Amino acid sequence: MNLPNKLTLFRVILIPFFVFFLLAPYFPGYGNYIAIAIFIVASLTDMLDGKIARKYNLVTNFGKFMDPLADKLLVCSALICLIELQMLPSWIVIIIIAREFIISGFRLIASDNGVVIAASYWGKFKTTFQMLMVIVLMLDITLNQYAWIHILGIVLTYIALALTVISLIDYIVKNRGVLKEQK
């Protein structure tokens, strides 16, 4: 278990704490700030684990599989919470989560064939914009008196949605051979 893989697992461990502080009514006035801080730390571990793995040649099949899964768990948890908080419409979250299930299915089929599908650049852009969107939407909850934060949240939401669809198409086109091998 190398450092990048430990950071990936740490990101997964942070998820319940993030959800608790975002949704629990026990911390009025500062629970959202704690949730934002946890989400930012978790998001930064995504960037950090990848950089460390590439720099020190610590890339593993576990990391290639778990890193994107940890990202999905973190982002999807946040998106579901944002529906609960009425900050995101459910149809956007359904599209984003459906994409994640489709890609996970591709990865499972590929792994049955001994192939590990690593994250693509489109997927990384998608994840980055989804994380930025979540942070800005949470800031909008906390600092709702600033119209520019609300507008930025809307813009980031539609950029993240577009990148979600683009990255899905990219994965399907690049990995369509995985499905052909299943016939």
Side-chain angles (χ1 to χ4, degrees):
M1 182 64 58
N2 61 34
L3 179 59
N5 291 341
K6 287 178 183 176
L7 288 170
T8 297
L9 290 177
F10 178 63
R11 185 162 59 257
V12 173
I13 291 167
L14 287 176
I15 294 169
F17 296 98
F18 160 72
V19 171
F20 175 76
F21 283 105
L22 187 61
L23 296 181
Y26 309 118
F27 309 98
Y30 60 92
N32 287 350
Y33 290 111
I34 296 169
I36 291 168
I38 291 170
F39 189 86
I40 289 171
V41 167
S43 298
L44 290 174
T45 65
D46 177 39
M47 180 182 67
L48 189 60
D49 68 8
K51 286 186 183 226
I52 292 170
R54 287 184 295 278
K55 182 175 181 178
Y56 296 104
N57 198 25
L58 297 172
V59 176
T60 63
N61 283 342
F62 175 84
K64 286 181 187 177
F65 181 78
M66 277 305 296
D67 181 62
L69 184 59
D71 296 340
K72 289 175 176 49
L73 290 171
L74 176 64
V75 171
C76 289
S77 297
L79 296 177
I80 292 167
C81 289
L82 289 170
I83 291 173
E84 173 76 17
L85 298 170
Q86 300 180 346
M87 294 300 295
L88 266 178
S90 57
W91 69 268
I92 290 175
V93 176
I94 290 168
I95 290 171
I96 291 171
I97 291 176
R99 181 256 184 223
E100 302 307 340
F101 274 103
I102 292 167
I103 299 306
S104 294
F106 261 90
R107 283 197 169 109
L108 284 174
I109 292 169
S111 70
D112 284 346
N113 294 322
V115 177
V116 175
I117 299 175
S120 73
Y121 286 108
W122 283 111
K124 290 177 184 180
F125 290 138
K126 178 258 326 167
T127 300
T128 300
F129 274 89
Q130 286 177 350
M131 289 177 174
L132 288 172
M133 171 194 71
V134 168
I135 291 166
V136 171
L137 291 175
M138 287 189 298
L139 283 172
D140 190 24
I141 295 168
T142 307
L143 307 171
N144 60 7
Q145 70 268 24
Y146 298 108
W148 67 271
I149 292 176
H150 182 72
I151 293 167
L152 180 60
I154 292 169
V155 169
L156 287 173
T157 298
Y158 286 101
I159 291 171
L161 183 62
L163 289 172
T164 297
V165 173
I166 291 167
S167 68
L168 172 62
I169 293 167
D170 179 60
Y171 270 104
I172 290 171
V173 169
K174 286 182 179 173
N175 299 295
R176 63 186 177 275
V178 170
L179 291 178
K180 289 179 184 176
E181 293 173 14
Q182 286 303 111
K183 292 183 181 181

